């Protein structure tokens, strides 16, 4: 995200989001679409139970949205969605992932494309990333693409938390290959992500130092959450607010130390994250919405089976509706009675969470928080 894009495409929409939040107008097009392209995953993470629950409880993977259905949904939604986030499961398990991204490029015109990965299937991740970048190049586009391998510990700790022996070696191979692609494509950005949980909270310093020594421009972490999407409600995975606040204070110090060496895009995103880490710790400590939440207004989550969610935390419990049932008409669901009811549930602060993607949008819509972001950018130029 650069200053021009923010002033042209994002900030002007915040007024519409606020008016929709207060039900003064119909919800407008969100700036962020997160699409879980599959729930299939090779990982067996301690912080997530999709791998354990999904095969028994959910629909057959064969019923996941097909490419032609995805194109219909994207066409109905229309441009411009600013952030297009892929999610899963493991996104790169879908062989048609580059085609899905191309459909998003054709219909949604995203300004930033992002995907996490467990980095287990190195060849799939590397080849899929390259196909996406070559597709953009062929279209004459420089759309930034970020791929974020997950790193939750060093060596055996990572394998233990992720539940897959040998994951660490595959992760290192994937990072090595993606760094080569980063040298080849100016619009490709490699990130590293860590889920801070009760299983690694005492090792965060070691993880951070390792990541910085990799020479990766962008590193983010977020707290392990109990989410409907992950089937982990009630699991003891989340550090206390006090623990998380202490960890984030130390982590923010390292960001400030290294931010001046970052490229412009990384500096802006790191400045936003500094505000997010402070906000997230406060939300966890106080168990309340510290600033208004625009889930289901600024952001929307599309599932593999065509459900629209306000966010992955509420997920199955608070679906906005099913786009497949609505004959792929995004707006019929987005402005329907069920969606209105869910937004009211969020507005009266019935929920509170530090979900990263949603929190970033909430920060942008909150004047005081946004001032802190701008202050950070100016301080570390």
């Amino acid at each position: 995200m650069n200053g021009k894009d923010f002033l042209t495409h994002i900030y002007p929409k915040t007024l519409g989001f606020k008016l929709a939040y207060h039900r003064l107008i119909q919800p407008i097009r969100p700036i962020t679409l997160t699409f879980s392209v599959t729930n299939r995953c090779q990982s067996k993470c301690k912080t997530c139970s999709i791998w354990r629950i999904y095969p028994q409880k959910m629909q057959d993977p064969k019923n996941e949205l097909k490419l032609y259905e995805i194109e219909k949904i994207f066409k109905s939604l229309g441009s411009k969605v600013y952030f297009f986030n892929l999610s899963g499961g493991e996104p790169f398990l879908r062989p048609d992932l580059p085609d899905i991204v191309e459909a998003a490029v054709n219909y949604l015109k995203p300004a930033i494309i992002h995907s996490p990965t467990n980095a287990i299937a190195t060849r799939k991740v590397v080849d899929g990333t390259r196909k996406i970048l070559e597709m953009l190049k062929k279209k004459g586009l420089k759309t930034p693409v970020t791929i974020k391998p997950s790193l939750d510990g060093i060596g055996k700790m990572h394998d233990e938390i992720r539940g897959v022996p040998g994951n660490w070696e595959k992760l290192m191979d994937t990072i090595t290959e993606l760094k080569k692609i980063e040298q080849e494509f100016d619009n490709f950005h490699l990130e590293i992500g860590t889920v801070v949980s009760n299983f690694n909270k005492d090792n965060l310093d070691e993880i951070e130092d390792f990541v910085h020594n990799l020479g990766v421009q962008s590193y983010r972490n977020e707290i392990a959450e109990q989410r409907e999407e992950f089937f982990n409600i009630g699991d003891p995975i989340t550090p206390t607010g006090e623990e998380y606040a202490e960890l984030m204070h130390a982590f923010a110090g390292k960001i400030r130390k290294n931010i001046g060496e970052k490229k412009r895009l990384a500096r802006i995103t790191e400045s936003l994250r500094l505000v997010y880490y402070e906000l997230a710790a406060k939300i966890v400590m106080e168990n309340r919405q510290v600033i208004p939440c625009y889930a289901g207004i600024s952001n929307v989550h599309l599932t593999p089976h065509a459900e629209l969610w306000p966010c992955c935390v509420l997920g199955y419990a608070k679906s906005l509706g099913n786009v497949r049932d609505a004959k792929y008409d995004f707006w019929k669901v987005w402005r329907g009675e069920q969606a209105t009811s869910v937004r009211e549930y969020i507005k009266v602060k019935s929920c509170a969470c530090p979900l990263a993607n949603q929190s970033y949008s909430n920060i942008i819509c909150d004047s005081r928080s946004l001032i802190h972001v701008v202050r950070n950018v100016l301080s570390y130029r």
Side-chain angles (χ1 to χ4, degrees), residues 11 18 362-374:
Y11 190 67
K18 291 177 182 179
N362 295 343
I363 289 168
I364 290 169
C365 292
D366 182 68
S367 299
R368 290 186 179 180
S369 299
L370 187 57
I371 288 172
H372 288 313
V373 175
V374 173

Side-chain angles (χ1 to χ4, degrees), residues 34-38 85-91 114-116 229-230 301:
T34 299
F35 179 23
S36 291
V37 296
T38 182
N85 297 322
L86 296 160
S87 187
E90 168 54 37
H114 171 77
S115 179
E229 179 190 30
F230 292 163
H301 192 120

